[in-house]
Every structure is written in structure tokens, then in C-alpha cells.
């Protein structure tokens, strides 16, 4: 097995979430298309595959609002992989749908859940022994998650603070009764997590053998309706009935007169500090067992965060509160060692937040779609720093072509003067500018490498419909595109061994 790439090496990568891979099971997964993508990355001499969070997604498909900070997304389990294990027949695992350009989450979830339930009934004694070993190794989070998932289905997916009081408050008798009554469903959710872990580890080994590192994404906050909050209420700022006392968001600004409410319950950081950030340490340990490097979403929240009363409908009457700061990262690194973290530092980057990032030598982010609003933008390619990551755009941005279509006349002129970009060439011009920047790592979304229009956008922040659905079509990332990207990677000194 080859050594994993490091963030201090000059390299390039591609941003693509596994659900965006092609295939006929309704959504992308960890199966054959993932293996093919790793081969494509290797052919293009890309050393990093960056993706979004791989935990359970909510019903809209958002990977940033799932019901566990530790579990894997069962939607990513490959039916073909289940056939290789003998848990499905080849016919049962055969893709029933055409490889659509958009994920249909309800259809994909229903189809995959049926296959997983069928596979569960065929679990052999040998596999059951492996599952019990996995369960014992991960009991600290898995027991609560599996029971929580079973309880959610038993309560018709109602949020946990609407459950009966004894189970909501995790009274011992109520928990014991639920474990007995829902033993079969709980075992099924453990089975799902074992399968995810098994397939994930196989993908990780394949990536390592191809000299491709995996970059994960860790949201700073967790969903209110999650196993983590239900099982660890003292760590979150909740009312006695389980509702959120304060919630996450950002204050009013030029983009929103009322600010943004994200809705996550905020942390009781003093409580976390009192036990040495044990929950966070376990969360990071789990994440770094899966990835070679991790982008922490909303890194600025470790410096300060906007707290809004939970009953408010807008973020206007919130206030800034201090985050845990350097004490958090000092405590965590003392237990886990130096962590390869990418700090998502987009937004209002205060001097204090910048100092926190730099104290621990975490690379920050520079995004070219923000680079041409004035003549000396912080995000302009020539102003990128070696300890940083250059992006053409992120999952929250438009595609490069979509951005250009909506850009101001001034932005278009600056981009034309800077890179000679036109409407027809803008996507590749931004990929080239990012690759040539001083930043050690340059990452481009697959949509920009393919020069796709705005219809291929992954997410529109502040909206809840129609996001997270974009997918590649089969053979879209072909040998010609790999050769083109490989040539640029070599020219800009980002290829393996450059």
C-alpha cells in the first residue's frame, strides 16, 4: 500500500460527493462507479478526492443535517458489493433504473432499504461474528445510534423531543424496554453500519493503492434531531423539554437583512471543556479513521458563534458568543496528535479567527468565484498562500459557468483582464488559475472540470428544495478529460513526484 498524500505537498484534487457518481440504483454509492472514479483520478494524476460529509443525510438529501455525527450513510452501500458477499443474488443486485442525471432520494432510499432488509435476512454465522466484533469496537456511539434509528422509525420519523417522556429522557426502564421491543430493528441498523464500514475500508485501501487521499467534511454543528443530541443532552444548550434554547446561524449582512437561522442546537462549551472535550475527541477520531484529511465546515465558530434564541423566527436578535478557541485544538491534538485539518474560513474572517487558524497551521480556503469583485481581492490567485487550499468554487457555489452568467460587468472585465476568460472558456480558465496559484493544494469541483452550466449546481444555501441531486452521467469523466487535467497538473507542478 502506498503512503497517503500530505497537505504540505503541492498537489491537486477533485471535489465530488459519492451520491453524484453514476449508476442504476437511484444514487451514486461506494460500488463500481467509485472504483472507476479512483482509477480516473489516478490517470489524471489527482492526489486527492474531496467529498461532503458521508454520514446519514436528511430526507432532502442534505449531508449536513443527518441524524448522527458518527454513523455512515446507508444510501452509499453498494448492492453489487452485497452480491459479492453472497447476501444478494446477481439478479437482485442488478441496477433496476437508468443512470439518471439527478438523484431521486425517495426512490433510491426505498429501493436500497428493500435490498438491505433482504440482505439482513441472509446474514451468515461468520458475518454475524464479524458484526458483533464491530459492534463491540464501536459501542460508544453505535448502541445509541442503532436504538435511536429504530425508535425514529417506530415513531414515524417524529423528532425525539416529541417522543414519550420516559424514552425522551432516556430513563433506564424505558431504554431497556425499547431495546427488547426493537431488538430486530436495532440489529438491522448495526448491520447497515457494519456494511458501510466494510465497503468504506475497501474503498480507502483502493484509494491508497492508487496514491489518492480522501478529504472529508466535518460540520461544526450537529442536527437537533440526532442520536448525538438525544444521547448527550448535557452537552447541548437545550430546554428541559428537549427543545433548543439557542440555535446556530449568522447575523444580518449584505446578503440577508434578517440573517440566517441554521437551526442546530448550540454547544455548552464549558461542559465539553470540563471532560476534556471527550465527545469531540471521539468524533474527530472516528472521522480521521475514515479520511486522510478533513475540512471543518464553519471553522470560524470555534472562535465565536452567533447564538439566537430557539423560539425566534429570524437571526436578527442573536448575539456573538465566544467559542472554545485554541484550548479546544490543544486538548484534542494532545490526545490524537497533529491533525490534517482544512479550515473552512469563509465569511467574516476576524483577526482572532485568522490567528487561531494560523496558530495550528491549518490551511484556509481561497475561492476564485470571490476573487474578482475588486482589484486586490483576498481570493485572487496571486494572493493565495502556500498554506492554503485554492478552489474554483465549493458545493455551496454555482458552477463556474453559472457564476459567470450572473457575474457583474466589473467582475467579468477583471476576470477577462486577469485570465483572458470568456463565457465559453471561464470554467477551465478558473481551473487553470487555481492550479497555477501558490497554494499547495488546488481542488476543483467535477462540474468545473467538465465545464458544466448552472443546472449542475449542487446546493443553493438558504433553500431546502432541489439540492444535493446532481450526478455525473456514465463516461462523462473520460480519458480525454483525464489527459487534459493531467497535462495541467504536470505543468503547474502538482503531479506525483513533481
Amino acid at each position: 500500500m502506498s503512503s497517503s498524500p500530505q497537505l504540505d505537498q503541492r498537489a491537486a484534487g477533485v471535489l465530488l460527493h459519492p451520491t453524484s457518481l453514476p449508476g442504476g440504483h437511484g444514487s451514486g454509492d461506494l460500488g463500481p462507479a467509485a472504483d472507476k472514479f479512483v482509477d480516473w483520478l489516478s490517470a489524471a494524476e489527482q492526489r486527492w478526492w474531496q467529498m461532503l460529509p458521508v454520514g446519514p443525510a436528511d430526507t432532502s438529501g442534505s449531508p449536513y443535517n443527518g441524524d448522527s455525527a458518527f454513523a455512515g450513510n446507508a444510501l452509499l452501500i453498494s448492492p453489487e458489493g452485497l452480491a459479492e458477499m453472497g447476501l444478494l443474488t446477481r439478479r437482485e443486485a442488478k441496477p433496476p433504473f437508468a443512470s439518471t442525471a439527478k438523484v431521486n432520494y425517495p426512490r433510491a432510499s426505498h429501493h436500497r432499504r428493500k435490498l438491505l432488509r433482504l440482505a439482513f435476512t441472509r446474514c451468515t454465522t461468520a458475518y454475524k461474528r464479524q458484526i458483533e466484533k464491530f459492534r463491540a469496537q464501536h459501542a460508544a456511539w453505535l448502541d445509541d445510534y442503532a436504538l435511536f434509528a429504530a425508535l425514529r422509525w417506530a415513531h414515524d420519523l417524529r423528532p425525539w423531543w416529541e417522543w414519550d417522556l420516559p424514552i425522551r429522557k432516556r430513563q433506564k426502564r424505558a431504554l431497556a424496554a425499547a431495546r427488547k421491543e426493537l431488538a430486530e430493528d436495532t440489529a438491522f441498523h448495526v448491520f447497515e453500519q457494519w456494511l458501510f464500514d466494510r465497503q468504506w475500508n475497501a474503498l480507502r485501501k483502493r484509494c491508497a493503492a492508487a496514491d489518492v487521499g480522501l478529504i472529508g467534511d466535518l460540520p461544526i454543528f450537529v442536527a437537533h434531531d440526532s442520536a448525538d443530541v438525544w444521547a448527550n443532552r448535557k452537552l447541548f444548550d437545550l430546554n428541559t423539554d428537549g427543545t433548543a434554547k439557542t440555535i446556530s446561524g449568522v447575523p444580518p449582512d449584505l446578503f440577508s437583512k434578517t440573517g440566517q437561522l441554521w437551526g442546530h442546537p448550540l454547544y455548552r462549551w464549558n461542559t465539553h471543556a470540563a471532560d476534556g472535550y471527550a465527545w469531540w475527541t471521539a468524533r474527530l477520531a472516528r472521522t480521521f479513521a475514515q479520511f486522510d484529511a478533513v475540512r471543518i465546515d464553519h471553522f470560524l465558530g470555534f472562535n465565536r458563534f452567533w447564538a439566537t434564541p430557539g423560539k425566534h423566527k429570524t437571526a436578527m436578535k442573536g448575539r456573538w458568543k465566544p467559542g472554545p478557541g485554541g484550548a479546544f485544538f490543544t486538548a484534542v491534538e494532545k490526545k490524537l496528535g497533529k491533525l490534517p485539518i482544512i479550515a473552512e474560513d469563509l465569511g467574516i474572517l476576524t483577526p482572532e479567527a485568522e490567528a487561531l487558524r494560523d496558530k495550528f497551521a491549518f490551511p484556509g480556503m481561497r475561492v476564485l468565484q470571490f476573487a474578482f469583485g475588486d482589484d486586490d481581492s483576498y481570493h485572487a490567485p496571486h494572493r493565495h498562500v502556500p498554506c492554503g487550499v485554492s478552489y474554483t468554487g465549493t458545493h455551496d457555489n454555482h458552477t463556474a459557468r453559472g457564476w459567470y452568467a450572473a457575474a457583474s460587468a466589473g467582475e467579468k472585465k477583471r476576470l477577462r483582464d486577469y485570465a483572458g476568460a470568456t463565457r465559453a472558456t471561464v470554467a477551465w480558465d478558473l481551473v487553470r488559475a487555481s492550479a497555477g496559484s501558490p497554494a499547495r493544494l488546488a481542488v476543483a469541483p467535477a462540474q468545473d472540470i467538465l465545464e458544466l452550466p448552472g443546472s449542475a449546481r449542487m446546493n443553493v444555501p438558504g433553500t431546502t428544495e432541489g439540492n444535493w441531486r446532481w450526478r455525473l452521467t456514465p463516461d462523462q469523466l473520460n480519458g480525454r478529460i483525464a489527459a487534459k487535467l493531467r497535462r495541467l497538473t504536470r505543468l503547474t507542478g502538482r503531479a506525483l513526484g513533481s
Side-chain angles (χ1 to χ4, degrees), residues 416-485:
R416 184 172 61 251
D417 292 344
Y418 195 100
T422 67
R423 179 176 62 85
T425 67
V426 61
W428 196 254
D429 289 330
L430 289 184
V431 172
R432 186 187 300 109
S434 176
S437 83
R440 291 194 185 102
L441 178 56
V443 176
Q447 295 97 313
D448 289 348
I449 291 169
L450 291 167
E451 303 181 84
L452 298 182
S455 58
R457 183 171 186 168
M458 190 65 166
N459 179 50
V460 180
T463 66
T464 57
E465 300 295 330
N467 296 317
W468 320 109
R469 297 183 61 206
W470 174 77
R471 297 180 73 192
L472 289 165
T473 58
D475 300 320
Q476 203 167 20
L477 286 174
N478 53 39
R480 180 183 63 82
I481 301 297
K484 183 179 180 181
L485 188 58

Side-chain angles (χ1 to χ4, degrees), residues 29 172 178 188 192 249 254 296 323 402 413 451 465 493 496:
D29 57 37
K172 289 184 178 181
F188 170 70
E192 283 187 323
L254 293 175
I296 293 187
K413 183 178 187 305
E451 303 181 84
E465 300 295 330
L496 180 63

Side-chain angles (χ1 to χ4, degrees), residues 2 49 71 117 155 319 383 395 424 431 442 473:
S2 302
W49 176 2
R117 283 285 183 182
H155 288 85
R319 62 190 181 97
R383 295 197 64 191
H395 66 276
V431 172
T473 58

